[in-house]
Amino acid sequence: MNHDFSRLPELIERHGRSPESLIMILQEIQREYRYLPCEALMQTAEALGVPLSRVFSAATFYNVFSLNPKGEKVIRVCVGTACHIRGAKLIQDQLENFLNIKAGNTSEDMKYTLEVVACVGACAMAPVVTVNEKYHGSVNPGRVKKLLKDK
Amino acid sequence: MSIGTPQQLEQLHHECSAARDRFQKRVIVCCGTGCLANGAAAIVGAFQKALREREINGFTVEAVKETGCHGFCEQGPLVVIEPQGTFYTRVKPKDVAGIIDKSIAENQVIETLLYKNPVTQTRIERYPDVPFFSHQQRIALRNLGKIAANDIREYVAVGGYQALAKALTTMTPDQIIKDITTSGLRGRGGAGFSTGKKWRTCASVKDERRYVICNGDEGDPGAFMDRSIMEGDPHSVLEGMMICAYAVGSQQGYIYVREEYPLAVIHLQKAIDDCEREGLLGDNILGTGFSFRIRIARGAGAFVCGESSALMKSVAGEVGEPRAKYIRSVIKGLFDKPTVLNNVETFANVPIIISNGADWYKSIGVPNSTGTKAFSLVGKVKNTGLIEVPMGITLREIIYDIGGGIINDRPFKAVQTGGPSGGCLPESKLDLQVDFDSLTAAGSMMGSGGMIVMDDRTCIVDVAKYFLEFLVSESCGKCVPCREGLYQLHRIVTRVTEGNATEEDLARAEKLSEAIVTGSLCGLGQSGANPFLSTIRYFRDEYLVHIREKRCPAGVCKPLIRYEINDKCTGCMACITACAYTAITGKKKQIHVLDQDKCTKCGACFAVCTYQAIDVI
Ligand SMILES: Cc1cc2nc3c(=O)[nH]c(=O)nc-3n(C[C@H](O)[C@H](O)[C@H](O)COP(=O)(O)O)c2cc1C
Ligand code: SF4
Ligand code: SF4
Ligand code: SF4
Ligand code: FES
Ligand code: FES
């Protein structure tokens, strides 16, 4: 994949060029490119003066970081306890079926990424699905399809 | 203006509360994450548009106040009209004109927007009369739903930063620590360690630098009180941290916020910026010579980073793996310096203890667990949401008086407390007092305060499997008992849910649990077997039915159940639409047919059939 890395130095600067800022910098990069391109990780290691292995271990340890490109719409099914008890598994099943991808994957046309997360902190409205940053509460099987069309 | 002295703070307080009192009516719209998800932003917009005129029928009206979460998100968006306290639920933009014409201009209530008590089916007019609120006592959540989260003037209007001023100008660090110790405040993040003692140890270590960290990781699935506090009342957290910093002698604080809480980060950052601008954070705070700064560190989605040593590594930009604690982090913590780490709710309690005094706080709750505790009451309970209750209240009062009982009046089965490390308590424990020690004695724990209610359609074995799966995927993998032990434990429990386990397997699992508990390095592994141990303790029978009869009484474990259509079927076609696997066929108004070979047992048909025509067998 081709990326414009011209903004990268700015992203790295944003939290100060110190090893302490590594995770925040990775967050910025992920926001910009929707994943962590290899090239960006190498530049980060160099800019912070830390071994590339340390950058990679952080990039693989934390759940939010992805080394593979994500789709335009990131759909997250909450499978936290409150949602689990109220049928999150069924919602996950249905989404996997409609999108024809398993949770954790991105559709071939790069339109959708389906993820599961353990609690998005809106448990009173379980089960919850988020589409990009938008929350949908009390999701029932009948609403799943509509949710995908929704902005 | 900048607040450079206690007198200026006092003056601003009068100014801000006078500004609040100027209005005869206030429209308060909840803008917590829950209500926003249900469309609160549109309600705010509609009020702003319609209320440009602030004088209505002789009443001076404050357009809208966007507050944090009241805790009753399921009923949202919520609108409260003050001073009457009229409480409207599930408000839609089209209701706004009516609210202005009737409730604001004419003092009338709109019946259809009032909350309906699910027990008595009657409508309730005022906020404090709703049973969900009337049994609560709010201390840590005191400002949620009352003040605009993003406005420092609102916080100052209700007495914010007065505790800081009191601490800085009239108390020595030692007195503060004494007060916090006497109050009996125990950490709200899980283990329940005495906050005063923790501060005392940190303050007594000789070092020129010390750190104060607020744990806003809230990794427990099913819990959201820390989120609501950070979003809805960020200043109370900052004020608590500042008082702590003064008491232990720290100049730098961090708030570690989990990845999933972007709104909390925005509100906290706004609060920090406002404090810096006003001079409440930075050098020479309130002219007392005390200097303190706070930075936000963001998590990146790792449950284990809530653990103290892992969290400190993560703040330092490293991989969040726990370390062995020969030396505790109060002595050698962040950047190897003495560090106080407390939970969000713990810090939110601090200012009010300083203001009202240790004895006041101690008089609430029970002797060994003083004060109140916030819980997220969720699952199969009628009123779900965020609550705060005095310690010592019973589970029954929480679930039935506040929660309104079980959805559809089904039988209560269990309540899970304490998150993945906690446990499930059965019906016989409903009269148990809720406090740190009673819960632990009963084989569960307080944890951060998730309270998940289950009915007879929740399978206990499935719940144990669920938590183990979570822990397996969140284990950092550093030590073998946790990494391999939990994995094997999960496999055994999974076999139970598939009908492939024997009774010897259970005995083996119990032995294995012992090894995991004793051999693990950090709290994740040490409590990792709890989901299994607590469920087998109270629900052994249910495990045995799975093993001996190859049956799941709750109708949950897929390999042991099947769906069938009975003759109550009206042929409404709803299930055909819901079934993603074309396993159901049938014509309109005729009994439908379910093909077991195609059926994946997803349960969608069961969920949509309103005629009870589908059985789980
Ligand atoms: C695996 C694990 C996860 C934890 N997660 C959290 C958390 O999300 N939030 C929290 O406040 N404490 C969490 N804790 C407890 C903290 O390590 C620590 O005890 C607490 O933040 C101290 O604050 P307190 O004394 O105010 O409770 C966790 C502990 C363990 C072992
Ligand atoms: S107990 Fe588990 S989570 Fe804790 S250090 Fe060991 S492997 Fe990591
Ligand atoms: S939803 Fe129920 S009643 Fe309707 S066709 Fe299906 S089984 Fe029959
Ligand atoms: S359980 Fe799922 S797959 Fe089976 S018939 Fe019902 S909807 Fe279809
Ligand atoms: S468990 Fe799903 S939002 Fe908390
Ligand atoms: S977000 Fe409005 S009540 Fe919780």
Side-chain angles (χ1 to χ4, degrees):
Chain A
M1 213 174 267
N2 286 323
H3 290 296
D4 171 15
F5 287 113
S6 58
R7 266 168 49 81
L8 198 56
E10 184 202 323
L11 296 180
I12 295 174
E13 274 325 311
R14 201 169 283 173
H15 296 276
R17 237 180 220 249
S18 88
E20 266 168 73
S21 311
L22 176 60
I23 290 160
M24 312 275 240
I25 292 169
L26 295 183
Q27 304 257 26
E28 297 283 351
I29 296 174
Q30 170 121 347
R31 248 193 297 282
E32 178 82 14
Y33 303 102
R34 285 192 270 133
Y35 78 114
L36 300 176
C38 206
E39 171 70 27
L41 294 181
M42 293 196 286
Q43 287 197 33
T44 305
E46 200 170 302
L48 301 185
V50 299
L52 185 59
S53 63
R54 187 175 152 190
V55 176
F56 264 99
S57 65
T60 50
F61 178 83
Y62 294 99
N63 296 337
V64 287
F65 296 137
S66 167
L67 298 177
N68 296 315
K70 292 193 185 188
E72 279 159 46
K73 271 191 188 174
V74 178
I75 300 167
R76 291 170 139 191
V77 192
C78 176
V79 294
T81 326
C83 293
H84 177 78
I85 300 285
R86 285 201 179 176
K89 197 83 200 154
L90 168 56
I91 308 297
Q92 183 188 335
D93 269 8
Q94 290 211 318
L95 281 166
E96 288 182 343
N97 200 278
F98 287 136
L99 297 174
N100 205 12
I101 44 172
K102 287 279 170 214
N105 294 313
T106 301
S107 62
E108 257 167 47
D109 59 5
M110 299 301 293
K111 279 226 165 78
Y112 298 103
T113 296
L114 183 63
E115 294 179 346
V116 291
V117 323
C119 197
V120 292
C123 324
M125 306 187 304
V128 181
V129 172
T130 65
V131 180
N132 291 340
E133 300 280 284
K134 197 171 166 194
Y135 282 71
H136 301 266
S138 314
V139 178
N140 55 36
R143 270 185 54 201
V144 169
K145 243 185 202 162
K146 233 178 81 199
L147 219 146
L148 294 177
K149 292 199 195 99
D150 197 54
K151 211 341 250 119
Chain B
M1 75 183 271
S2 117
I3 313 169
T5 63
Q7 292 73 30
Q8 282 172 347
L9 177 67
E10 187 64 30
Q11 195 192 330
L12 185 67
H13 165 64
H14 289 306
E15 205 180 284
C16 295
S17 61
R20 247 172 101 91
D21 293 342
R22 210 178 68 239
F23 299 104
Q24 284 155 303
K25 297 244 167 151
R26 278 202 302 273
V27 180
I28 297 173
V29 181
C30 178
C31 285
T33 299
C35 287
L36 284 175
N38 286 326
I43 313 286
V44 172
F47 271 114
Q48 274 167 345
K49 222 168 130 199
L51 276 181
R52 230 168 281 140
E53 283 288 320
R54 292 191 158 205
E55 173 108 5
I56 298 173
N57 226 4
F59 296 118
T60 346
V61 182
E62 180 166 27
V64 243
K65 189 123 285 172
E66 299 166 49
T67 71
C69 175
H70 296 253
F72 214 13
C73 326
E74 208 186 18
Q75 295 286 329
L78 302 181
V79 173
V80 178
I81 313 291
E82 294 283 22
Q84 298 97 312
T86 310
F87 182 67
Y88 290 140
T89 60
R90 300 186 205 265
V91 178
K92 300 204 169 45
K94 67 172 169 49
D95 300 325
V96 166
I99 293 177
I100 295 171
D101 291 345
K102 283 205 170 139
S103 304
I104 294 176
E106 309 282 346
N107 276 335
Q108 290 169 13
V109 292
I110 301 169
E111 279 285 316
T112 50
L113 292 176
L114 293 176
Y115 172 71
K116 195 187 210 175
N117 186 335
V119 183
T120 57
Q121 296 294 316
T122 50
R123 303 252 176 206
I124 297 171
E125 191 178 319
R126 290 179 59 250
Y127 186 98
D129 300 329
V130 175
F132 181 79
F133 294 108
S134 62
H135 292 85
Q136 295 190 42
Q137 182 174 4
R138 297 192 155 209
I139 294 176
L141 310 181
R142 58 194 176 276
N143 292 325
L144 290 187
K146 298 222 173 89
I147 64 169
N150 255 338
D151 187 351
I152 188 172
R153 296 176 63 92
E154 284 269 306
Y155 186 66
V156 171
V158 296
Y161 292 113
Q162 298 285 350
L164 176 72
K166 177 178 173 186
L168 293 184
T169 56
T170 69
M171 296 170 85
T172 63
D174 187 63
Q175 279 172 332
I176 294 172
I177 295 178
K178 268 207 189 103
D179 258 23
I180 296 295
T181 313
T182 314
S183 76
L185 178 67
R186 296 171 68 172
R188 300 303 195 236
F193 193 77
S194 156
T195 303
K197 267 195 198 147
K198 189 185 275 185
W199 293 14
R200 168 78 64 211
T201 316
C202 181
S204 67
V205 182
K206 294 239 170 330
D207 210 315
E208 77 284 7
R209 291 197 83 82
R210 287 188 183 74
Y211 294 101
V212 171
I213 307 181
C214 173
N215 191 344
D217 194 50
E218 194 159 56
D220 282 8
F224 64 108
M225 46 267 147
D226 292 349
R227 165 184 213 150
S228 300
I229 296 173
M230 290 187 284
E231 285 178 5
D233 192 18
H235 284 285
S236 72
V237 183
L238 301 189
E239 189 176 2
M241 289 176 74
M242 293 180 203
I243 292 169
C244 171
Y246 172 67
V248 302
S250 164
Q251 305 202 332
Q252 181 66 51
Y254 290 87
I255 307 179
Y256 189 81
V257 189
R258 77 189 296 226
E259 154 69 18
E260 288 83 355
Y261 292 176
L263 195 61
V265 172
I266 294 170
H267 286 193
L268 284 166
Q269 192 60 55
K270 168 86 163 61
I272 292 171
D273 293 346
D274 287 350
C275 281
E276 281 175 356
R277 198 191 54 242
E278 301 290 349
L280 288 170
L281 278 174
D283 290 327
N284 193 17
I285 294 168
L286 293 176
T288 60
F290 166 63
S291 302
F292 187 59
R293 287 181 172 74
I294 297 177
R295 279 182 67 175
I296 295 177
R298 294 197 65 176
F303 173 69
V304 75
C305 284
E307 194 272 346
S308 51
S309 62
L311 183 144
M312 290 176 200
K313 280 210 183 135
S314 187
V315 172
E318 290 174 47
V319 164
E321 275 179 8
R323 63 162 172 81
K325 291 203 201 109
Y326 311 109
I327 308 171
R328 282 185 294 127
S329 50
V330 234
I331 297 166
K332 216 171 167 186
L334 183 64
F335 307 125
D336 289 337
K337 297 290 171 193
T339 304
V340 168
L341 173 72
N342 275 129
N343 167 264
V344 171
E345 189 186 335
T346 313
F347 279 125
N349 274 303
V350 166
I352 196 156
I353 294 175
I354 295 298
S355 289
N356 293 5
D359 290 329
W360 164 79
Y361 195 77
K362 215 169 60 179
S363 70
I364 302 160
V366 290
N368 273 327
S369 299
T370 57
T372 52
K373 175 79 190 91
F375 289 101
S376 65
L377 181 64
V378 293
K380 301 283 185 70
V381 62
K382 281 181 189 156
N383 301 327
T384 60
L386 186 72
I387 60 166
E388 184 175 347
V389 289
M391 297 274 193
I393 190 173
T394 65
L395 286 168
R396 190 186 299 280
E397 287 171 278
I398 293 180
I399 295 165
Y400 286 90
D401 296 346
I402 299 175
I406 310 297
I407 293 182
N408 297 329
D409 294 317
R410 297 196 72 96
F412 168 87
K413 180 168 194 169
V415 55
Q416 206 278 348
T417 71
S421 336
C424 288
L425 298 171
E427 195 179 3
S428 62
K429 295 281 172 197
L430 270 179
D431 292 306
L432 187 80
Q433 273 196 8
V434 175
D435 63 64
F436 284 103
D437 308 319
S438 310
L439 284 173
T440 309
S444 185
M445 61 187 262
M446 182 76 81
S448 58
M451 197 170 263
I452 293 127
V453 179
M454 306 173 191
D455 65 0
D456 62 331
R457 297 201 47 83
T458 316
C459 171
I460 286 292
V461 189
D462 173 73
V463 169
K465 180 178 114 180
Y466 164 81
F467 279 116
L468 288 169
E469 197 171 306
F470 176 80
L471 292 168
V472 167
S473 76
E474 295 298 334
S475 162
C476 83
K478 190 169 175 173
C479 40
V480 179
C482 170
R483 185 183 68 222
E484 298 296 330
L486 287 174
Y487 177 74
Q488 293 302 337
L489 193 57
H490 175 252
R491 275 186 52 175
I492 296 177
V493 173
T494 303
R495 281 213 301 278
V496 177
T497 64
E498 290 166 347
N500 291 330
T502 61
E503 287 173 52
E504 290 80 75
D505 280 335
L506 284 191
R508 214 171 290 140
E510 280 169 292
K511 262 216 166 119
L512 180 59
S513 299
E514 228 179 280
I516 299 170
V517 172
T518 39
S520 292
L521 182 72
C522 86
L524 189 149
Q526 284 158 8
S527 57
N530 276 5
F532 171 69
L533 291 174
S534 82
T535 49
I536 194 90
R537 173 168 171 183
Y538 293 116
F539 299 94
R540 187 175 286 270
D541 285 352
E542 196 164 338
Y543 276 88
L544 291 177
V545 172
H546 281 75
I547 293 173
R548 291 182 187 153
E549 300 172 30
K550 313 241 175 284
R551 198 161 62 76
C552 175
V556 171
C557 298
K558 278 188 192 178
L560 304 181
I561 57 164
R562 64 175 195 280
Y563 290 89
E564 275 178 11
I565 295 177
N566 64 35
D567 55 12
K568 284 190 209 138
C569 175
T570 61
C572 73
M573 311 280 285
C575 56
I576 295 195
T577 328
C579 179
Y581 305 91
T582 59
I584 300 183
T585 47
K587 293 213 172 67
K588 244 191 178 143
K589 296 192 179 157
Q590 283 174 13
I591 292 188
H592 282 41
V593 183
L594 192 157
D595 180 348
Q596 296 292 347
D597 291 336
K598 281 190 177 168
C599 175
T600 64
K601 300 174 188 174
C602 74
C605 54
F606 180 82
V608 297
C609 178
T610 44
Y611 300 94
Q612 275 110 42
I614 296 179
D615 297 321
V616 198
I617 296 167

